[in-house]
Amino acid sequence: MDEEIDTRKINNSFLRDHSYATEADIISTVEFNSTGELLATGDKGGRVVVFQREQESKSQPHRRGEYNVYSTFQSHEPEFDYLKSLEIEEKINKIRWLPQQNAAYFLLSTNDKTVKLWKISERDKRPEGYNLKDEDGRIRDPTTITALRVPVLRPMDLMVEATPRRIFSNAHTYHINSISVNSDYETYMSTDDLRINLWNLEITNRSFNIVDIKPANMEELTEVITAAEFHPNQCNTFVYSSSKGSVRLCDMRASALCDNHSKFFEEPEDPNNRSFFSEIISSISDVKFSHSGRYLMTRDYLTVKVWDMNMESKPLETYQVHDYLRSKLCSLYENDCIFDKFECVWNGSDSVLMTGSYNNFFRMFDRNTKRDVTLEASRENSKPRAILKPRKVCVGGKRRKDEISVDSLDFSKKILHTAWHPSENIIAVAATNNLYIFQDKVN
């Protein structure tokens, strides 16, 4: 990643055909599993598509790294809440993988109200020669059974099955915005606007409310929870971010209800920069622990900040994602883009950050060299094995040949969801209904 930050080779892209894109095809979450061998995407139509990485073959060593569709299944269906007369969308808000314990894979997927635990397993044998059923599966007449047969397993074409193992429902009044699996691998939490619930992965009929910020009088509501995540290796610690731009660290050992935080991360606002939009753009849309657990990364509308867990007063590092939009906040407010929720991710060694922007741009910041780059995920520049060219946005004045003017940015094309392979320089970027997978240049 060091010197290669601006020459990335593409290895493959495109999830679906652009010409048939519907609202349901828009990708709403992207997530690698803990080994990086699998990559899952969820979309607004409630589908989950799992991609598997090609194994390296001696005849085609360069094929290693290509991701191909492994399994596709319908995770959530649209529902209707008759008590509140509300439609519940099937859109997948988040996917989280569980660490692999055996040959099968497990993932959690959630829409606004219901979390489901899915098992994805392979079958390449089928039993034949039942005593009580014939080959079509119909029950045989017991009087016709004269001999005892031993069923045998016969090979068949490989089949990948996705089955729902647990359904965790009826625990959220508001919309679930995030789920996070604990490092004890026994529990996970689901977060909505005002509450965080702790679940045991084996128990579906009860959860424990560990954070509740709902005021007695809803007219006094001043903030909502926007995201939450468990510490990567301390199972008692988690953080949650708020629409007021603050992050609270909680310790579940302190009390059953973590309404009192143990640490509070917030950057005091510069009075000189105060404007009508200050509150909206300071809302944190994503919070992520570094793999080491030493740092926190938060994304608000214009910046990515890195916090040291031992310093609450101000962020360690602040990176401007698209500062050229400051002058455009008024029109972004009118077209509702100012409420877009961008996610952010760390690379495997916590040295590079990535987050999305508009016009199908995404940004990378190298924490060591302080270099940053803007890259574009689009069909035009994504022939397999093409090299991505850095893009630049110019504000006013003369525009150079390779620059794009801030006035010609397309705000309908936005990169909200990205994922980084846990150990290699492979990234997945969701651009509307297309999935792009880029990897470092391989000589």
Side-chain angles (χ1 to χ4, degrees), residues 179-351:
I179 47 177
S180 177
V181 180
N182 200 344
S183 58
D184 62 10
Y185 307 141
E186 287 180 15
T187 55
Y188 77 91
M189 65 181 172
S190 55
T191 307
D192 68 27
D193 297 339
L194 299 179
R195 297 192 179 105
I196 301 176
N197 291 334
L198 181 71
W199 300 83
N200 186 303
L201 283 160
E202 299 293 323
I203 301 166
T204 57
N205 59 359
R206 70 169 180 270
S207 62
F208 297 95
N209 182 221
I210 52 174
V211 171
D212 186 350
I213 64 164
K214 185 181 178 182
N217 177 5
M218 279 296 267
E219 287 174 9
E220 293 165 9
L221 183 68
T222 56
E223 63 180 334
V224 295
I225 302 171
T226 53
E229 191 179 58
F230 271 118
H231 191 282
N233 45 42
Q234 294 170 10
C235 61
N236 53 288
T237 310
F238 67 93
V239 290
Y240 68 91
S241 58
S242 93
S243 56
K244 275 197 158 175
S246 59
V247 174
R248 292 171 175 84
L249 178 87
C250 300
D251 187 338
M252 292 193 291
R253 294 173 303 189
S255 70
L257 195 60
C258 303
D259 282 358
N260 296 325
H261 47 267
S262 48
K263 288 190 178 180
F264 183 76
F265 301 88
E266 186 176 46
E267 184 169 32
E269 193 194 359
D270 181 355
N272 301 327
N273 287 344
R274 178 128 192 96
S275 74
F276 170 74
F277 304 109
S278 297
E279 248 177 58
I280 304 173
I281 62 172
S282 67
S283 174
I284 293 176
S285 54
D286 197 14
V287 59
K288 292 264 170 54
F289 273 106
S290 63
H291 295 79
S292 65
R294 171 72 194 271
Y295 302 104
L296 264 182
M297 167 167 53
T298 58
R299 168 74 210 256
D300 57 40
Y301 191 65
L302 295 176
T303 65
V304 171
K305 296 183 174 120
V306 174
W307 301 79
D308 188 316
M309 293 303 293
N310 302 324
M311 185 170 78
E312 300 166 59
S313 54
K314 62 177 199 287
L316 198 62
E317 301 151 23
T318 301
Y319 300 97
Q320 299 296 335
V321 178
H322 37 216
D323 205 44
Y324 46 79
L325 294 183
R326 262 185 211 280
S327 58
K328 293 257 174 285
L329 292 177
C330 205
S331 54
L332 289 162
Y333 178 74
E334 283 164 8
N335 66 13
D336 276 355
C337 284
I338 202 166
F339 301 107
D340 284 334
K341 293 179 165 48
F342 291 96
E343 294 171 9
C344 52
V345 288
W346 300 88
N347 73 338
S349 61
D350 299 334
S351 61

Side-chain angles (χ1 to χ4, degrees), residues 75-112:
S75 172
H76 288 69
E77 302 279 357
E79 291 174 60
F80 193 79
D81 183 338
Y82 292 98
L83 284 175
K84 296 200 182 73
S85 294
L86 279 179
E87 283 185 37
I88 301 169
E89 285 186 4
E90 64 273 39
K91 174 189 162 203
I92 308 291
N93 292 342
K94 283 283 185 290
I95 289 172
R96 288 288 178 264
W97 290 92
L98 272 62
Q100 194 177 355
Q101 312 279 359
N102 51 31
Y105 302 98
F106 288 88
L107 63 82
L108 289 168
S109 65
T110 183
N111 68 349
D112 286 341

